[in-house]
Amino acid sequence: MTLDLAQRPAPSEYATWFDRYISLVPDGPIVEMLERQYEDTLSLLRGLPPDKAKYAYAPEKWTVAELVGHVADSERVFACRALCFARGETQGLPGFDEKTYAANARDRGGVPFSAVIDDYAAVRRATLSLVRGFTREAWERRGIANEKEITVRAQAWVIAGHERHHMKVLKERYL
C-alpha cells in the first residue's frame, strides 16, 4: 500500500486520543495545510491588539499569550517526535504535561506579545522545514510516544489539528 499524504491517517496510525485533533483537519496534502495554517494563524494573531495578550476568558484559564505559547511548545514536542521517528528512533519517547509547561512559561516571561507571535512563527517555520524534507519512507515510520504508537504522518496531522483546536478556542472564547 502506498502512502497518500493527502489522506488523513488511518486510526491504526495513532492513539485514539489524537482523533480529537486529526478529525479537525480536512483531507488534502498535509504540508500544504501546515503552510496555509501558518499564514492564517499569523494573520489572526498579528491582528490582535497587544493588550489582548494578558486576557483570559475565565479565572484559571490561560491568557492569549499563554495559549499561543502552548501551541508553540506543543508543536515543538510533536515535531521532535516526528523527527525522531522519521530518523528511525526505536526508543520510546516520554509524554509531556502541558499544564506544567504552561505554568513554567507563565505569560511567556512577560515578553511582548509580538515576541510570542514571533516564537510561534519560528516554530512553524522549523516544522515546515523539517516535514518538507521527509522521504516517503520517513512519513511511514512509526515510533512510541507516551507509550502509544504513532506514525510520522499522523504526528504532522496532530500538529495541524492541535493548532486548529486552539485557534477555534481563541476565536470562540477570547475574541
Side-chain angles (χ1 to χ4, degrees):
M1 180 175 153
T2 303
L3 180 71
D4 182 355
L5 295 177
Q7 293 298 313
R8 74 184 54 261
S12 63
E13 293 183 55
Y14 57 90
T16 55
W17 163 256
F18 285 125
D19 194 53
R20 67 187 292 213
Y21 299 135
I22 291 172
S23 66
L24 297 175
V25 182
D27 288 340
I30 190 59
V31 175
E32 291 175 20
M33 165 54 89
L34 291 167
E35 290 168 344
R36 281 191 312 273
Q37 189 177 51
Y38 169 72
E39 297 299 331
D40 293 346
T41 298
L42 276 181
S43 178
L44 172 66
L45 297 176
R46 287 181 175 152
L48 297 177
D51 63 335
K52 197 71 160 169
K54 303 256 186 232
Y55 173 73
Y57 68 89
E60 304 301 315
K61 293 297 182 182
W62 289 336
T63 65
V64 171
E66 289 167 337
L67 181 135
V68 174
H70 163 71
V71 169
D73 282 353
S74 297
E75 185 162 329
R76 281 183 173 99
V77 172
F78 299 149
C80 180
R81 290 174 179 174
L83 168 67
C84 291
F85 304 147
R87 301 297 191 255
E89 181 61 66
T90 58
Q91 294 186 39
L93 302 177
F96 73 106
D97 181 342
E98 77 233 17
K99 291 180 177 137
T100 300
Y101 278 44
N104 286 303
R106 189 66 59 198
D107 280 332
R108 310 321 266 167
V111 299
F113 189 49
S114 62
V116 175
I117 295 169
D118 290 346
D119 184 56
Y120 157 79
V123 171
R124 179 51 62 94
R125 284 192 309 271
T127 298
L128 287 168
S129 177
L130 176 68
V131 299
R132 286 178 186 134
F134 286 161
T135 63
R136 181 156 302 280
E137 295 78 20
W139 282 105
E140 294 176 358
R141 290 194 182 108
R142 295 173 180 264
I144 304 293
N146 201 22
E147 302 179 3
K148 303 289 184 187
E149 190 173 67
I150 189 165
T151 62
V152 171
R153 177 172 74 147
Q155 196 65 78
W157 284 69
V158 167
I159 290 169
H162 180 259
E163 183 169 317
R164 284 179 74 92
H165 164 75
H166 284 291
M167 290 305 107
K168 182 177 186 245
V169 169
L170 178 68
K171 292 172 186 172
E172 290 176 357
R173 298 186 183 165
Y174 289 83
L175 305 182

